Amino acid sequence: FSRDVYFNPGKHATRAQFVTVLGREYERESGTTIARSGNAGYSDVVSGSYYSRYVVWGKEIGIVKGYSSSQFGTNDDVTREQMVTFLYRLAEYSGFTDQDSADSTKMKAFPDSGNVSSYAVTPMAWAINVGIIIGDDNGKLRPLDSCTRAEMATMFSRYKTYYDTHAANVSAAVLAGQMESAAETGGVTQDAETTETAELQPENEAA
């Protein structure tokens, strides 16, 4: 068999692999194709590689920030806290986060919650609250541990469910608002939906 036959669930996922999956999920959500060139200024990103356009895209919209302005950490294992940080930023970019979803009460109940890096506290709390991460068999978060491909697939499946649910709720709310407005004015409103994206604040962190 060729290596393409195997998924390798126990193998660690790299940062390049995860950002690629992240970009493909965004393509599914938005119905668009990400077309970018270059290496986003990162010396360890190979222009034209399978992942480069997704790294460039992620940097442009603030989802990925790298270890520094010149190093992304392409082949490094992606940690569990880095993964939820990427997912949180994508959800934030899509307008699907709020203050309540980032409450840290549940997170603090995990015995190793103190190991979560400062930049990942809000993303980790959000991921726990919305059911993307539930802890391992020992009830721990293991935020600094490398993430396996199986864990990556599981978290992405949960994120997809989260996204689809919120997208459906937003669509229903918009439709209800349009119908209410139409009833009040006696006519049909046009394009009552507006989308606002909160500006992502830069942070000094390794995601």
Side-chain angles (χ1 to χ4, degrees), residues 145-167:
D145 284 5
S146 298
C147 195
T148 66
R149 290 166 62 87
E151 289 172 334
M152 176 177 70
T154 298
M155 289 188 198
F156 246 104
S157 177
R158 292 170 181 164
Y159 175 82
K160 181 179 179 296
T161 299
Y162 166 83
Y163 177 90
D164 290 344
T165 299
H166 279 68

Side-chain angles (χ1 to χ4, degrees), residues 117-200:
S117 299
S118 59
Y119 77 84
V121 168
T122 295
M124 184 65 76
W126 163 82
I128 293 168
N129 292 336
V130 302
I132 291 175
I133 191 168
I134 60 176
D136 65 10
D137 293 339
N138 296 315
K140 293 185 177 182
L141 295 173
R142 297 187 292 111
L144 304 179
D145 284 5
S146 298
C147 195
T148 66
R149 290 166 62 87
E151 289 172 334
M152 176 177 70
T154 298
M155 289 188 198
F156 246 104
S157 177
R158 292 170 181 164
Y159 175 82
K160 181 179 179 296
T161 299
Y162 166 83
Y163 177 90
D164 290 344
T165 299
H166 279 68
N169 290 341
V170 169
S171 296
V174 169
L175 178 60
Q178 290 176 332
M179 293 178 65
E180 181 179 355
S181 179
E184 292 176 352
T185 61
V188 177
T189 60
Q190 295 184 0
D191 193 21
E193 180 179 8
T194 59
T195 302
E196 297 181 357
T197 302
E199 182 179 359
L200 299 176

Side-chain angles (χ1 to χ4, degrees), residues 99-123:
Q99 286 187 327
D100 291 338
S101 67
D103 181 84
S104 62
T105 302
K106 289 184 179 179
M107 184 187 73
K108 291 177 180 178
F110 288 87
D112 59 343
S113 61
N115 296 334
V116 178
S117 299
S118 59
Y119 77 84
V121 168
T122 295

Side-chain angles (χ1 to χ4, degrees), residues 15-117:
R15 288 166 59 84
Q17 290 170 346
F18 187 74
V19 172
T20 297
V21 176
L22 194 75
R24 289 173 179 167
E25 168 62 13
Y26 178 78
E27 289 176 324
R28 182 195 73 85
E29 295 173 3
S30 63
T32 61
T33 298
I34 295 172
R36 299 288 191 277
S37 61
N39 64 359
Y42 295 126
S43 61
D44 57 343
V45 170
V46 179
S47 181
S49 59
Y50 75 89
Y51 61 84
S52 61
R53 59 179 170 145
Y54 297 114
V55 174
V56 174
W57 158 80
K59 184 177 181 181
E60 284 181 355
I61 64 174
I63 291 176
V64 298
K65 301 180 181 180
Y67 295 147
S68 68
S69 60
S70 62
Q71 184 182 15
F72 174 65
T74 303
N75 295 317
D76 289 355
D77 292 348
V78 63
T79 66
R80 288 165 61 86
E81 68 177 12
Q82 288 173 1
M83 187 170 290
V84 297
T85 298
F86 289 140
L87 289 172
Y88 174 78
R89 289 175 182 159
L90 181 58
E92 188 175 41
Y93 179 77
S94 301
F96 293 156
T97 59
D98 54 50
Q99 286 187 327
D100 291 338
S101 67
D103 181 84
S104 62
T105 302
K106 289 184 179 179
M107 184 187 73
K108 291 177 180 178
F110 288 87
D112 59 343
S113 61
N115 296 334
V116 178
S117 299

